[in-house]
Amino acid sequence: MTKHFKTAITTSLCLLAAHPFSSALTFTVPSQVGTGDYFYAPLDPAPIGISFEFFAFPSYFTNVTATQQCLANWKALTGVWPPIRIGGTTQDRAQYDSNTSAYVVYSVADAKDAPSVLTFGPKFMTLAGMYEGSVVIGLNRGKNEIENTIAAAKVAVSEVKNLLAIELGNEPEYWVKDGQPITSGVDWTPATDAASQNNWNIQVGSAVGKTNIIQAGNWNEAPPKWGAAQLITTENATVESYVRHYAHHNYPGGSIQSLMSHSAIARNIHTFDTDIAAARAIGKQYVFGETNSVSGGGAAGVSPTFGAGLWTMDYALRATYSNMSRTYFHHGTVGNCQYCFWGRYSMGAPYYGAYAAVALMAGASHLTALDSGSTNYAAYATFDSRGLPLRVILYNSDYFAGSGTRTTQSFTLTGLTSSTVRAKRLTAASATSRVDQGSPPSFGGQQFDNGSCAMSGTETFETKPVSGGQATFSVKATEALLVYLQ
């Protein structure tokens, strides 16, 4: 997928880290969607959502107080409840039991463990149906018991009023090592999995009497070996009629510094360009059905940090700019989830980054990147329903670990039409700052309270004069600034 940008850089990008201030980078804000040498991505009403591990979903909604408020905070910005996906590794360990009155039934030696075997009943789907946003439900394909999966799918269709799609299997490329029965006696390859997916899509879709109902794909290994482009080549028109959209999982990993690097984020997202284009070519959406910073629940030294929060912000925006319709950030075992936005630490620093990204895109019709994705500095602009510029976010991904000089990058925006603009700053003491260690971030001077996820503090805007259609903003290393143009 080719992406266009127009950036006027007034100084060299070879900036010396020892210098506390760097000369301004200049970005021109388009006056209207469709103008200039830019690519404009259409926006879903709520492009950022949450994925809940299958067995843990009931606990998040019945035992974790912050869940409803954290989701409501985004709804207050967008007017739409964020999308959720219920699935993960345990969806392929879960079998439907119509006779159980429990949400889920399982046993573990330690509360921090995920179950190896579990059952769930109709009440599970009833709970999912109470959510007011769109819901994707992941069901079991690995055990190769299609009638049980069809029974669960029928309950999902009847109980989940906002059901967007059904997944049939989670990360099938790992099923051989997991000992899943569907791979027994079979040379399990992308082609074998594709044949299985196509068959199950038709059988489940026809059994529930719905086309446009399947979220296909759901691999974690990077394309092209496992990916939508190769799957689509195996599908006929009947299979395609049952597919609503295609999904991939992604956990970039790395250190805080490598994770939050803007250029590294752009490179990572480009991995999926061919798959996104293949889905769009047949009129289907493409989503990150499950993603977060580091796989396996996150890394303790990386995932709960403010640097990971800035990654969350930039990553969600770059994915959206690349025509990824929705990005679902995964939440695993309650109390044992380093990358969770809430639940383990009550509040995690990544929630702040997600909130800032939601605030940029809220109520917008389109998004574009004003930068090339090749440096440490990002600028994204959103546009309202009239196609007029709405907001810009500026991101300085230079790494600051808390000691020494914290450098500052200047950003100049041109093409502005008002006499002043306001801005909110997303900041923390350093990239390594963590809420659970007493160093929470702030966004516009506000924070999210532990336990409740309620916003506290006085909302603070910075005001900048506009002269000759331009204004200059200072953004420190490991910081972002959301500029309101209207």
Side-chain angles (χ1 to χ4, degrees):
M1 179 184 301
T2 301
K3 300 177 181 66
H4 302 284
F5 59 91
K6 180 188 262 184
T7 307
I9 302 180
T10 59
T11 60
S12 171
L13 290 178
C14 298
L15 305 168
L16 299 178
H19 291 179
F21 293 93
S22 299
S23 298
L25 304 175
T26 301
F27 297 101
T28 301
V29 178
S31 60
Q32 181 80 32
V33 165
T35 62
D37 190 18
Y38 297 90
F39 169 75
Y40 296 88
L43 292 181
D44 189 86
I48 300 178
I50 299 293
S51 167
F52 294 99
E53 183 61 42
F54 190 92
F55 87 96
F57 159 70
S59 188
Y60 274 104
F61 275 79
T62 61
N63 297 326
V64 180
T65 304
T67 297
Q68 195 69 19
Q69 186 62 50
C70 283
L71 296 169
N73 289 341
W74 295 356
K75 194 257 186 183
L77 292 173
T78 65
V80 179
W81 285 95
I84 67 169
R85 173 258 188 175
I86 302 166
T89 303
T90 56
Q91 82 184 59
D92 280 297
R93 302 174 185 175
Q95 290 187 288
Y96 177 64
D97 179 1
S98 62
N99 295 316
T100 183
S101 60
Y103 296 117
V104 287
V105 179
Y106 63 87
S107 88
V108 290
D110 187 311
K112 294 181 179 179
D113 294 340
S116 57
V117 176
L118 65 148
T119 59
F120 65 98
K123 194 175 177 181
F124 184 100
M125 296 301 179
T126 302
L127 180 63
M130 294 172 65
Y131 185 63
E132 296 184 48
S134 71
V135 181
V136 174
I137 299 283
L139 297 177
N140 193 328
R141 180 161 59 97
K143 289 191 181 299
N144 204 25
E145 297 183 5
I146 194 167
E147 292 305 321
N148 185 267
T149 298
I150 286 173
K154 287 180 176 179
V155 179
V157 168
S158 66
E159 292 293 315
V160 185
K161 63 182 181 299
N162 291 326
L163 183 68
L164 184 67
I166 294 170
E167 280 183 19
L168 297 173
N170 178 81
E171 299 177 1
E173 69 270 39
Y174 302 137
W175 286 351
V176 172
K177 72 176 180 60
D178 292 343
Q180 287 287 8
I182 200 168
T183 67
S184 180
V186 176
D187 182 17
W188 192 254
T189 64
T192 314
D193 172 57
S196 171
Q197 288 207 40
N198 295 341
N199 177 46
W200 279 59
N201 292 350
I202 292 172
Q203 290 200 56
V204 174
S206 60
V208 301
K210 284 187 175 292
T211 55
N212 205 36
I213 191 62
I214 302 297
Q215 178 166 293
N218 311 302
W219 315 273
N220 186 55
E221 291 295 313
K225 182 178 180 181
W226 300 91
Q230 61 87 14
L231 177 62
I232 288 168
T233 63
T234 72
E235 296 174 342
N236 58 28
T238 302
V239 175
E240 284 184 8
S241 72
Y242 287 108
V243 175
R244 186 179 189 101
H245 46 252
Y246 297 86
H248 213 99
H249 299 177
N250 191 37
Y251 291 87
S255 66
I256 301 173
Q257 185 171 8
S258 66
L259 185 72
M260 63 179 277
S261 162
H262 177 57
S263 59
I265 289 167
R267 286 193 301 273
N268 179 246
I269 296 297
H270 278 311
T271 305
F272 302 92
D273 285 352
T274 299
D275 272 14
I276 295 169
R280 292 279 174 172
I282 60 169
K284 306 291 184 178
Q285 292 184 343
Y286 192 92
V287 304
F288 271 149
E290 178 186 317
T291 191
N292 219 308
S293 54
V294 184
S295 62
V302 176
S303 300
T305 67
F306 180 60
L310 290 171
W311 166 81
T312 301
M313 177 198 73
D314 192 17
Y315 175 79
L317 295 176
R318 206 77 193 179
T320 304
Y321 169 63
S322 295
N323 258 335
M324 197 92 60
S325 296
R326 287 172 301 284
T327 300
Y328 297 85
F329 287 94
H330 197 52
H331 283 51
T333 307
V334 177
N336 189 26
C337 182
Q338 299 286 346
Y339 53 48
C340 285
F341 295 176
W342 65 87
R344 182 179 188 274
Y345 300 118
S346 289
M347 291 308 306
Y351 183 78
Y352 288 79
Y355 186 90
V358 172
L360 171 71
M361 295 189 286
S365 66
H366 290 81
L367 174 141
T368 191
L370 305 178
D371 69 281
S372 65
S374 62
T375 75
N376 274 0
Y377 313 112
Y380 299 93
T382 54
F383 300 82
D384 65 17
S385 59
R386 301 166 296 171
L388 300 178
L390 184 59
R391 306 178 193 99
V392 169
I393 203 163
L394 307 172
Y395 173 40
N396 180 350
S397 73
D398 287 343
Y399 182 70
F400 178 67
S403 61
T405 302
R406 189 170 191 173
T407 58
T408 298
Q409 177 61 50
S410 292
F411 294 80
T412 296
L413 297 179
T414 67
L416 306 181
T417 57
S418 59
S419 59
T420 61
V421 292
R422 300 188 303 165
K424 281 186 177 181
R425 193 170 298 271
L426 176 63
T427 190
S430 73
T432 60
S433 293
R434 291 168 53 153
V435 176
D436 64 312
Q437 295 179 354
S439 185
S442 65
F443 178 60
Q446 295 181 300
Q447 297 173 330
F448 299 95
D449 293 343
N450 289 333
S452 70
C453 201
M455 185 174 280
S456 63
T458 302
E459 185 177 33
T460 303
F461 287 92
E462 303 172 25
T463 302
K464 279 283 182 181
V466 176
S467 177
Q470 69 179 43
T472 299
F473 308 87
S474 295
V475 184
K476 293 179 181 178
T478 310
E479 217 177 48
L481 188 71
L482 178 60
V483 183
Y484 295 79
L485 303 180
Q486 296 183 17

